[in-house]
Amino acid sequence: MPLIRALKRTVFISLTLFGVPVLHGENLFVEEKLANGLELIAFPSHKVPLATIVLTCKGGAMTESPGSNGLTHLWEHMFFKGNEKLPNQEAFKKRIRTLGITYNGDTSAEKVRYFFTLPSVYLVEGLDFMADAIATPLIDEQELTKERKVVLDEWDRNASQPEFDFYNLQRSILYQEQGFLRDPLGDYSVIAEANRAQLMQIKKDIFVPQNCALIVGGDFEYEDLKAKAEKSFSIWTAPKEWKAITPPSFPKFTKTIDFVMFRPHIDNASVELTFMGPYLKETPKDTYIADILASLLQHKSGKFYRKFVDSGLTLGASFSYFTQSQTGESSFYLRATPENILNAKKSLLAEISAMAKPDYFSSDQLDDVKRSLIIDHKREINAPSSFTKTLAFWWPVTGLAYYQGYVNNMNQITLSDVQDFVKKYLINKPYLAGLLISEENGKKIKLKDTSKPFADKWLKKRPQTQKST
Amino acid sequence: MIKKLLRPALISLVFLFPSFACTTDGTSSKTKEDNRLVSDASIAAQKEQTSVATLSNGTQVIIRNEPSSDLVSLMVGWPKGSSATPTGKKNLGIWAFDTLTMGSKNYPKDVLFALAEKYSLNIACSQGIDHSQCSLGTINDYWPQALAAFSDVILHPSFKPSDAELQRKQLLAHYESIANNPDAFTNELVNKCFYPENHPYFLSAKDSVTEMKQLKTSELSGFYQQLLQTTPMTLVVVTSMPKEKIIADLEKQFNSLPKISYTPPKIEVPPFKDDCSLVFEDRDVPTAYLLAKFSAPEVNSPDAVAATLLFNIFSEELDEEVRTKRSLSYATYAYTRQYRMGLGIIYSTTPKPEETLEVIQQVITKIKSTSYTPEDLSEFKKEFATAFYLKQETHHSIAAKLLETQLYHGSLNPFYDLPRELDKVTPEQIKSLAGKYLKNMRLGILFQKAGYKDTWAKKFISANKG
């Protein structure tokens, strides 16, 4: 197999924590490049006679402009609406049924995925099906007119959630004019007026073999898959002189901003406190520490859980960190009764300072977190279909080398690293604090809605003319 | 890493389909010429991997051998859920099972939490409509410690008042939040009309808030012990460990329970009432939420398997006509829930509810009058093969499916034999079942008042009265 660039990479080496199961040189997946530049990643697993085929590409909101915000997601919808082999969505769906496929697609700020799971006996047909869809989409004007309405209803479903404005406003305050780069749902008006030329431009920019990976998991033999994938995807040609879009850097978040938003249909109250943490492009090692910190704070024997959850102070408290390439939102989230929310928020601000103290977390807790990572990984690979999708998350966002080194790198993290992280990213650092509550409950605790100046500046209004029945 | 967030992940990820619709129920042998994607040999092999044993006290133990991993999934289930609890106390069981994992006689909360973290154990308990269950996820190496703690939680839960109060607050917050979510709230609206007062399945969020404030922590232990002593328990283990060892371990832990037999009561189908078939709620949302609920075959009905296929076809037709052809909606689908009483559900969000209901009506009429060809039916059946195996990917999903099947049917055959039973469903059956069940819909609508008229909603209800 001379062409294989990195065949059967060893994923995890043995760990020597207390009673920890050892994963010795587990050959989980195979990675190589097809002739057209498309990465092929294979995760053979003969557990059930199914195959999951995922096409994942580096794109999303981060590769859009204000005038195209939301169109990568619209393109994702158009992917399923006909190609040179299957002229329309009806034909597409008939083929889906014939092959027993369950499918979906998703678009986020940094990736687009299309995924099919089907009986492995139909693997070749599934590969052809995916290749035709990505290589020869029709993006028919009539179909586009129809699908815009579908996507706008999806937009309206999101807008029907009482938290919609709250989260949009947070994103806009954090990223200002470049907030659209983190908003895959996009701009209502842009979607409503999208045309074929815009979508074809997205195809040229994003949906090219060099920018995507084909990840296949399930019941097949690798060599067999390789030959079939090479053949199926040979119709997808790589444009010459293609260059990846480089997303612009975000402005620094330099000043703490605090706002209160009143919205109807909000029971209780919530606070989200967001700091700008590490991200892969700049500070990869710190992204591991952020994950360790998040796990430590979930520890039910830990000080954070006891103080905020077990005491009854909140109805839920957590720290979340979502590994991304372009940005590193690190957020504390509190949900509490209206009478407790302000006290909970005040306590949280004080607690963050305590997290840098040597006795806040114990070495036993750190070992527990590391051990649980290994067992979680066992659980992850126990479900081939979802693990294939997981790989399709990591490939575009961080690259698989990051994922392969994940457990080993986590194992290197010390409590001192965690304390340094808290000092570097959290203590006395600017943050955005949003408090969401109903007007009735807000007034009971003497709050005023302070979001209006920000909302007037940043929140886009949905065009009312289209809000009709 | 991808984290489970406490806050809703609102718009960071957008899908082609709503997450519900991306999964289907359902079936692969190794030759595509064989129309049966789940072969007899495959079913036989699954059965071969499964054994049923009985402990000395009559407790049934189902063991599925999964040699591919050292993960272990243990589930314990009882054939009683909230439907078996009287009105006014409906939340007692839900609350008790939520509190169960907060410590036990030999494993006080702090000890239990520390152990769970040390061994990365997943311990969870919950009560559903018809059943109650607890689950344990671990690996072979930690099985002794995990089983000892888990069985103590099951047999000797502490129900400490302070912990129960914490769980009460969580449950209250959950019920209070239902009004915020347009989907959950539309379901609440329909339920008001679908269920008569005091129906065993009726559990409204609003009533639950009142009820939860009245229940006493002192009631929990008595309620739970009563369930434990009067309801037979079923155990399911999915593991690579030898079954003899598993049975011996379970015998040691659970043989103190009495021998019990129990027959669940029959659940009455709610009658259709003219005076309560439509509920509208004015809310300033840009898309209308429509939910129609009606009776469908219950889990043990002879129509159950065919009805599963019927609803799959119905859903596909709705998607085709409402979304694909007319672009009226992002999410329109139908599904059935087969409990001891069956439910049929049509769901849609749309900025044009009148037009959408008209199209849904056309699809209902079409399904009732269309004779699908055997070839058409065969295509629809294929999706079930994929879902049939998807349910067998993880230890936990296998355990959950086997437990559910055993509790409802007293046998595992309805799960393993589903592909063969589906093969037998004919076009005539589909047409006949459509006429029998796609009727008497109770409709809930959540939308801005300016976009709603009683007339078109009533027209839909009237057209489906039967």
Side-chain angles (χ1 to χ4, degrees), chain B residues 33 37 56-57 63 73 76 80 84 105 121 136 141 171 195 201-202 211 281 292 325 331 361 408 418-419 429 458 464:
Chain B
E33 290 73 26
L37 289 170
S56 59
N57 61 356
I63 300 171
S73 185
V76 179
K80 266 186 194 171
K105 185 178 156 191
L121 310 179
L136 166 69
D141 286 352
L171 255 176
Y195 293 109
Y201 276 25
F202 186 44
E211 186 183 303
E281 176 90 7
K325 288 186 181 168
Q361 185 55 55
Y408 273 130
L418 179 68
Q429 262 180 296
K458 284 181 177 168
N464 289 296

Side-chain angles (χ1 to χ4, degrees), chain A residues 47 93 100 267 300 371, chain B residues 117-118 180 319 379 386 393:
Chain A
K47 198 170 178 185
K93 288 177 73 177
D267 65 297
K300 288 186 174 178
R371 193 179 309 108
Chain B
E117 272 146 7
K118 184 175 175 183
N180 310 346
D319 185 68
E379 298 276 271
T386 308
E393 276 202 333

Side-chain angles (χ1 to χ4, degrees), chain A residues 16 28 35 55 58 70 102 154 168 203 214 241 303 355 409 445 459:
Chain A
T16 52
L28 274 178
L55 189 74
K58 297 173 188 174
T102 66
E154 185 180 0
N168 278 333
K203 174 169 166 39
L214 176 69
E241 296 175 13
K303 290 180 179 170
M355 287 174 199
N409 284 319
I445 56 170
L459 280 188

